[in-house]
């Protein structure tokens, strides 16, 4: 029989297939116990959205069986979300802040941002979704959420008075959007500095609580908003949504350039609206050429538009429908990519404050 140390070493040396690194190096072995013939191994995944946990469990089981065939092993798989915790510098207890953007309007950013939020939530993560499109907020509608966030004034430990806003809960996902503050049909007319201030407030003054992921739906275009966020919070990374058409791709390339300029890691491209009309595979090809990860494709499906129009994005991730598997796979790829980014540069990017 192996000793406890030998068992620990055995499990730590198993290579995790997605990252090709050992479980020990990835800190995915929480602990191992051994008592006579009985052994217990606890694995710790870096997110509940980790793909194929059963496969990993099986890999560990086989390795142990090969080395110690008589050992009776019980394997438990747990998960705790890890992140660079960059939000801490503005008082946020959010492990990973993710921006969802593109260069071009109408490619499905808001739909994809909300689907990622709902998807990660359905895997068991604690998720917030912030609508950074103050001119055309669409998140409240897609998530069938209404109401006005309760606001109160609080005094912090240093005696400063500040606003606290309660996010609106939509089936367990915490939302904040300008849409909750303007009445239907009203429009917002703001200039740059005010926009900057509104976004900062949304981020800082919202009582998000502890979150694993805060997803931010960016407005179309490449400019101000992403910059503000990069400066304020330090993003875990940006997801770039594009459609297979060439023109949308060119805009995505510009978006990548902009993120790189402000040192925001690119988590990857998502091809949205894949199918007969716009084609397929163009985004993956460009991603490969640019050496940017490809996070998956989401088909052009009437059901996606219908779920979004009815404000049922949460249901879209829960009910059986032709888009659900693709959407879940995209969420998993995003979570994995964040972890890859974390092990690549654990300290977080150094951001230029312009
Ligand atoms: N994969 C898809 N299949 C079918 N319809 C989709 C898909 N993705 C998005 N849509 C629909 O396309 C429209 C635009 O989507 P959405 O509002 O998410 O785009 P956007 O990029 O956020 O737009 P904007 O630039 O105005 O913020 C919506 O009606 C949405 O339901
Ligand atoms: Mg939008």
């Amino acid at each position: 029989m192996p000793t406890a140390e030998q068992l620990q070493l055995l499990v730590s040396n198993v290579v995790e297939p997605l990252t090709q690194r050992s479980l020990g190096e990835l800190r995915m072995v929480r602990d191992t116990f051994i008592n006579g013939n009985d052994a217990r191994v606890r694995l710790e995944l870096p997110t509940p959205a980790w793909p194929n946990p059963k496969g990993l469990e099986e890999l560990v089981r086989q390795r142990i069986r090969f080395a110690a065939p008589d050992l009776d092993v019980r394997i438990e798989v747990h998960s705790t979300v890890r992140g660079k915790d960059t939000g801490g510098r503005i008082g946020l207890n959010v492990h990973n802040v993710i921006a969802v953007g593109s260069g071009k309007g109408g490619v499905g950013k808001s739909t994809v941002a909300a689907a990622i939020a709902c998807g990660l939530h359905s895997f068991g993560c604690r998720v917030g979704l912030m609508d950074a499109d103050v001119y055309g907020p669409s998140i409240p509608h897609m998530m069938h959420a209404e109401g006005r966030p309760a606001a109160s004034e609080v005094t912090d430990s240093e005696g400063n008075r500040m606003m606290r806003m309660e996010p609106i809960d939509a089936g367990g996902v915490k939302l904040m959007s300008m849409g909750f503050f303007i009445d239907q049909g009203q429009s917002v007319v703001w200039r740059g500095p005010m926009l900057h201030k509104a976004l900062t407030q949304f981020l800082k003054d919202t009582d998000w609580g502890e979150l694993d992921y805060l997803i931010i739906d960016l407005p179309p275009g490449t400019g101000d908003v992403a910059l503000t966020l990069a400066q304020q919070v330090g993003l875990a990374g940006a997801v770039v949504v594009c459609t297979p058409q060439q023109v949308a791709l060119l805009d995505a390339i510009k978006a990548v350039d902009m993120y790189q300029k402000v040192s925001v890691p690119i988590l990857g491209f998502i091809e949205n609206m894949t199918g007969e009309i716009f084609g397929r595979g163009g985004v993956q090809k460009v991603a490969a050429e640019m050496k940017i990860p490809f996070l998956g494709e989401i088909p052009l499906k009437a059901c996606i538009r219908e779920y979004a129009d009815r404000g049922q994005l949460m249901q879209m991730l829960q009910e059986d429908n032709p888009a659900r598997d693709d959407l879940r796979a995209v969420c998993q790829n995003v979570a994995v990519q964040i972890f890859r980014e974390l092990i690549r540069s654990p300290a977080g990017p150094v951001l230029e404050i312009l």
Side-chain angles (χ1 to χ4, degrees):
M1 285 302 147
T3 62
E5 287 74 31
Q6 286 167 332
L7 180 65
Q8 175 82 24
L9 194 65
L10 196 65
V11 177
S12 297
N13 281 336
V14 171
V15 173
E16 192 287 314
L18 287 173
T19 54
Q20 289 297 315
R21 303 229 195 166
S22 73
L23 294 183
E25 196 184 349
L26 297 171
R27 292 192 288 120
M28 286 197 193
V29 190
R30 192 197 275 184
D31 47 34
T32 52
F33 293 95
I34 199 157
N35 183 7
N37 263 356
D38 291 323
R40 191 182 75 192
V41 174
R42 291 200 292 191
L43 301 178
E44 179 88 46
L45 299 179
T47 168
W50 197 258
N52 196 14
K54 282 267 170 265
L56 188 63
E57 184 184 324
E58 203 38 47
L59 219 56
V60 172
R61 193 179 301 287
Q62 278 170 12
R63 171 65 70 93
I64 298 172
R65 194 175 290 147
F66 186 70
D70 298 331
L71 205 60
D72 193 9
V73 198
R74 203 172 80 219
I75 301 176
E76 291 174 16
V77 183
H78 301 262
S79 56
T80 305
V81 175
R82 289 191 238 160
K84 289 178 187 165
D85 292 327
T86 46
R89 61 193 197 173
I90 57 162
L92 291 182
N93 192 6
V94 176
H95 301 311
N96 298 285
V97 184
I98 309 163
V100 178
S102 73
K104 199 170 151 39
V107 296
K109 287 177 299 299
S110 301
T111 311
V112 171
I116 292 175
C118 295
L120 290 173
H121 173 74
S122 73
F123 281 105
C125 309
R126 294 164 295 179
V127 182
L129 173 59
M130 181 176 124
D131 189 348
D133 194 346
V134 298
Y135 297 107
S138 49
I139 293 298
H141 176 80
M142 287 184 185
M143 299 290 287
H144 206 283
E146 47 189 44
R148 195 154 297 215
S152 54
E153 216 177 47
V154 294
T155 309
D156 71 9
S157 53
E158 280 147 27
N160 303 314
R161 293 165 73 146
M162 49 193 270
M163 282 286 284
R164 267 345 240 163
M165 294 186 291
E166 276 300 315
I168 299 282
D169 179 281
V173 173
K174 293 178 178 176
L175 306 181
M176 189 49 82
S177 168
M178 190 46 70
F180 298 131
F181 297 92
I182 49 175
D183 296 316
Q184 240 171 29
Q186 245 181 308
S187 63
V188 181
V189 190
W190 276 346
R191 306 206 179 276
M194 281 174 79
L195 181 64
H196 184 98
K197 193 156 182 279
L199 286 171
T200 307
Q201 273 200 335
F202 267 15
L203 261 177
K204 286 210 298 210
D205 299 349
T206 299
D207 198 356
W208 297 105
E210 186 178 351
L211 292 181
D212 297 321
Y213 300 101
L214 176 61
I215 317 293
I216 302 185
D217 174 26
L218 294 184
T222 48
D224 279 9
V225 174
L227 211 65
T228 300
L229 291 168
Q231 291 171 1
Q232 287 292 326
V233 70
L235 300 165
V239 168
V240 178
V241 180
C242 28
T243 60
Q245 299 138 289
Q246 202 57 34
V247 35
L249 275 169
L250 290 176
D251 285 296
I253 293 166
K254 274 191 225 151
V256 166
D257 187 54
M258 189 263 324
Y259 289 122
Q260 283 169 345
K261 282 205 175 98
V262 292
S263 307
V264 172
I266 313 285
L267 296 173
F269 279 152
I270 295 176
E271 181 170 289
N272 186 33
M273 306 195 187
T274 299
E276 282 152 36
I277 299 175
F278 301 131
R280 174 176 196 183
V283 179
Q284 185 163 15
K285 190 164 154 275
V286 170
E289 282 164 14
M290 295 175 74
K291 298 197 171 23
I292 285 175
F294 181 64
L295 301 168
E297 51 186 42
I298 300 170
L300 179 74
K301 291 271 178 213
C303 75
I304 297 186
R305 194 183 50 75
E306 285 157 15
Y307 273 113
D309 278 356
R310 290 197 303 261
Q312 294 187 328
L313 281 205
M314 191 62 92
Q315 286 85 334
M316 179 166 80
L317 271 297
Q318 290 163 345
E319 297 170 0
D320 192 20
N321 65 67
R324 181 171 176 256
D325 288 349
D326 291 316
L327 291 168
R328 281 171 65 87
V330 163
C331 295
Q332 293 185 301
N333 290 340
V334 170
V336 168
Q337 201 49 46
I338 287 177
F339 181 63
R340 283 208 176 104
E341 199 51 55
L342 183 69
I343 52 178
R344 199 179 64 82
S345 75
V350 178
L351 295 161
E352 283 172 58
I353 307 285
L354 300 176

